Amino acid sequence: MLTMLRTAGRLVLSHGPLLVAIYLAGSLLQYVAIEAFGFVGAYSAVVGALLFPLVIVVRLVALVTMLLVLRSGLRTLGVIAPLPDEPAARRRAFTDALLGSILVFVAFYAAWGYLRDDANAYYSRVLEINTGLIANESILGLESGGDGAAGELSFSPLTVGIIVAAFVLRWAYGRYKGRLSKSVVVLAVYLEALWVVWSALLLSQAFDAVGSWVDSRQAMVWLADLRNWLAAQVAPVAWIWDAVEWLLGEAGGILLLPLAWLTVAGVIFGQAVAPPPARLKGALVDRARSGFGRLPAWTRRRSADLWGQVVGRFRPIVQAIVLMWRAGPALIGGYVLLFTLVLALDALLGIALTRLVGPQSFAEFWLPYSTIVFSIPALLIEPLRLMVVAAAYDRVVGRLSAPALAEV
């Protein structure tokens, strides 16, 4: 943990101001994108929904840029996988990291509610513009020009068709990118973001519907009644019940959040370094391989190509998890502790800011300036948290590469 802390401190001194600037630029660009795309979405719901994935791409571009900037300060990773010197190779490393991390980043972004927050901000902007258009039409008699559709993305033949088309086109890029112009990678990034973000939004709605259905079942009512009866009859059992619920609820923030961040960093850095892949074994696997080998050559090639496109998106995630597993619980536990301390610092910084500002008028100060004031902790803590994640990844790689550590 001390080595990790020293690495993080060195990154703060060498890269801190630059990372704060990149984070600020990414946040501002994301805000501008939501405002602009929401305006477009008020006139055309389909076009606005097609543009919305770019909001997530802006955030991901900032993240990838920050991590690749930090990569130059990671000594162990620099020995194992030095940064390329040629500009073309650096651009290729950036686009590879961007394409390879979209799936895991959107999954993480959706699991912790960030995707829903961005979607709600987008829909609020659409509704705001739509309200103005309707007012102009009803009061002033002006033609609004909008389609009046401000609802959330929903399951329909159109949305499913767009997701399938985006996935197929992205697959075609992976299959034939050697014959295409280098600039087509921009379109590939958009297509990857389009099908992943839309799928995440639709799956989120499906999970919410299933959760609402489960909550409304009689069994859940019986479970709540059982909990109340236990609280009345046997108080210690109710205390244990509440403790388990609290522990499960806090486990996400205490354990899963830092591990998710380390997985995202592992996927981005994993384009440069990865552990040896695990090979499945067993009689069932051997029979499956034998059966696959008896298929016609054309079928094997097409199946292997399609399987590689699908599995290739998950392989970096598995490799990052394998790295964490092989690093051992002591190292990962130290990282989780350091990550948690940074989260605590975030809360303490927010409290300190309110004490520093002191009592102010709500209308004259808090209403116009509250967003700026409460953005300061995130502006400082988010880059710091990313430095801790990068330092942990460098330590994980160093734990698994003793010869590289000896040269550092």
Side-chain angles (χ1 to χ4, degrees):
M1 181 174 173
L2 292 178
T3 303
M4 194 187 311
L5 192 58
R6 285 195 297 268
T7 302
R10 189 179 68 251
L11 293 175
V12 169
L13 295 176
S14 60
H15 297 82
L18 180 57
L19 256 66
V20 169
I22 295 173
Y23 178 81
L24 179 60
S27 299
L28 291 176
L29 285 175
Q30 188 179 39
Y31 173 79
V32 171
I34 290 176
E35 293 292 305
F37 299 158
F39 182 85
V40 174
Y43 287 90
S44 174
V46 174
V47 176
L50 288 172
L51 291 174
F52 175 74
L54 295 177
V55 173
I56 315 303
V57 171
V58 169
R59 177 67 74 182
L60 179 58
V61 166
L63 174 65
V64 171
T65 303
M66 294 167 72
L67 284 174
L68 293 184
V69 166
L70 288 174
R71 182 180 165 187
S72 62
L74 300 178
R75 294 178 178 176
T76 304
L77 184 59
V79 171
I80 298 173
L83 281 170
D85 297 325
E86 300 80 10
R90 287 178 177 265
R91 289 193 297 268
R92 185 165 59 252
F94 178 83
T95 55
D96 288 346
L98 195 60
L99 277 171
S101 60
I102 288 177
L103 179 62
V104 64
F105 178 76
V106 172
F108 158 76
Y109 209 66
W112 264 267
Y114 301 134
L115 179 59
R116 179 170 297 180
D117 291 342
D118 287 345
N120 289 338
Y122 166 78
Y123 293 131
S124 297
R125 176 62 173 165
V126 171
L127 185 60
E128 176 188 352
I129 301 299
N130 258 333
T131 302
L133 294 176
I134 293 172
N136 289 337
E137 187 174 300
S138 59
I139 298 174
L140 302 179
L142 301 176
E143 286 291 335
S144 66
D147 58 14
E152 296 184 359
L153 193 71
S154 59
F155 282 100
S156 69
L158 178 62
T159 55
V160 174
I162 290 176
I163 290 173
V164 172
F167 179 83
V168 171
L169 290 174
R170 169 65 181 91
W171 169 83
Y173 169 80
R175 181 73 173 81
Y176 302 107
K177 64 180 179 181
R179 309 177 190 177
L180 302 174
S181 170
K182 301 297 183 183
S183 59
V184 181
V185 68
V186 177
L187 178 60
V189 170
Y190 168 73
L191 292 172
E192 181 81 358
L194 177 61
W195 82 263
V196 172
V197 170
W198 276 32
S199 298
L201 288 172
L202 295 181
L203 286 174
S204 177
Q205 293 179 20
F207 289 148
D208 289 344
V210 172
S212 299
W213 180 84
V214 171
D215 291 340
S216 65
R217 297 303 92 189
Q218 186 63 38
M220 300 305 294
V221 177
W222 292 341
L223 189 61
D225 291 342
L226 175 61
R227 179 354 192 141
N228 295 332
W229 180 83
L230 287 174
Q233 302 298 322
V234 190
V237 175
W239 298 340
I240 296 174
W241 188 309
D242 292 338
V244 171
E245 286 185 345
W246 175 86
L247 182 62
L248 293 176
E250 292 298 318
I254 296 175
L255 294 175
L256 297 182
L257 181 60
L259 294 179
W261 269 108
L262 191 58
T263 302
V264 172
V267 169
I268 294 173
F269 288 138
Q271 305 299 320
V273 56
R279 183 176 177 83
L280 297 177
K281 298 179 180 179
L284 184 61
V285 175
D286 293 338
R287 285 198 299 269
R289 288 197 180 104
S290 176
F292 182 76
R294 289 193 293 269
L295 294 175
W298 183 90
T299 304
R300 291 200 306 272
R301 287 196 300 269
R302 296 285 78 80
S303 300
D305 184 42
L306 181 59
W307 179 252
Q309 287 288 327
V310 175
V311 174
R313 289 173 170 80
F314 296 94
R315 187 177 294 114
I317 303 174
V318 176
Q319 290 172 342
I321 295 173
V322 168
L323 273 176
M324 289 187 286
W325 178 264
R326 292 178 178 174
L331 177 56
I332 298 302
Y335 157 67
V336 170
L337 176 59
L338 194 56
F339 190 96
T340 305
L341 292 176
V342 172
L343 291 183
L345 183 61
D346 186 10
L348 292 175
L349 185 57
I351 295 173
L353 275 174
T354 58
R355 299 299 184 270
L356 181 64
V357 171
Q360 300 289 339
S361 168
F362 177 78
E364 295 178 1
F365 181 83
W366 288 113
L367 195 59
Y369 300 116
S370 61
T371 301
I372 297 176
V373 171
F374 291 115
S375 296
I376 294 175
L379 184 62
L380 299 176
I381 296 300
E382 291 300 324
L384 179 60
R385 177 161 55 178
L386 209 58
M387 294 175 203
V388 170
V389 173
Y393 183 83
D394 192 58
R395 186 71 182 112
V396 166
V397 173
R399 175 68 62 84
L400 303 176
S401 308
L405 262 182
E407 299 179 27
V408 176

